[in-house]
Amino acid sequence: MKVKILRILLDRWHAVAAWTWDAQDETCGICRMAFDGCCPDCKFPGDDCPLIWGACNHAFHLHCILKWVNSQTPQPHCPMCRREWQFKA
Ligand SMILES: [Zn+2]
Ligand SMILES: [Zn+2]
Ligand SMILES: [Zn+2]
C-alpha cells in the first residue's frame, strides 16, 4: 500500500520536473539569466539589453548571442538546438 502511494508521488514529481524544464525558455540559454532581466554584462534590463530571436525561434540577450556568434567561426550554431544560427528578420 505504501509503495503504491510513493509511486504516484514519483510520477507526479517527474511530471513537474518535465514542466519546469520546458519553462526554462524564460531564461537566456547562454547566460541563464531571466529574459525580464539583463545579461551579466549589463546593469539595467530594457532597451540597452534587448532580446534577439533567431530563425529557429530561440531567443537570447543581444549581448550574449553576439559574443556567442563571434566565438563560433566560421558558422555559428544556436546554443540551444545546434541549428545554423541566423538572426530572425
Ligand atoms: Zn543572456
Ligand atoms: Zn546586455
Ligand atoms: Zn535554436
Side-chain angles (χ1 to χ4, degrees):
M1 195 62 187
K2 259 189 181 166
V3 170
K4 200 172 182 188
I5 292 171
L6 184 65
R7 266 223 63 84
I8 292 168
L9 282 177
L10 270 179
D11 284 351
R12 274 202 203 153
W13 184 84
H14 279 298
V16 170
W19 180 85
T20 310
W21 183 254
D22 278 349
Q24 290 203 343
D25 276 347
E26 297 299 311
T27 58
C28 174
I30 297 175
C31 69
R32 304 281 169 194
M33 302 295 276
F35 281 149
D36 56 9
C38 55
C39 78
D41 290 344
C42 293
K43 287 193 170 62
F44 303 103
D47 292 347
D48 288 343
C49 192
L51 296 185
I52 292 291
W53 273 262
C56 60
N57 275 324
H58 284 117
F60 306 96
H61 297 111
L62 171 67
H63 301 134
C64 294
I65 195 63
L66 282 182
K67 258 195 277 179
W68 173 264
V69 163
N70 286 332
S71 72
Q72 299 276 301
T73 47
Q75 176 57 58
H77 290 84
C78 172
M80 301 297 280
C81 66
R82 302 277 157 191
R83 275 196 259 175
E84 231 174 75
W85 176 264
Q86 276 170 353
F87 291 96
K88 197 170 184 171

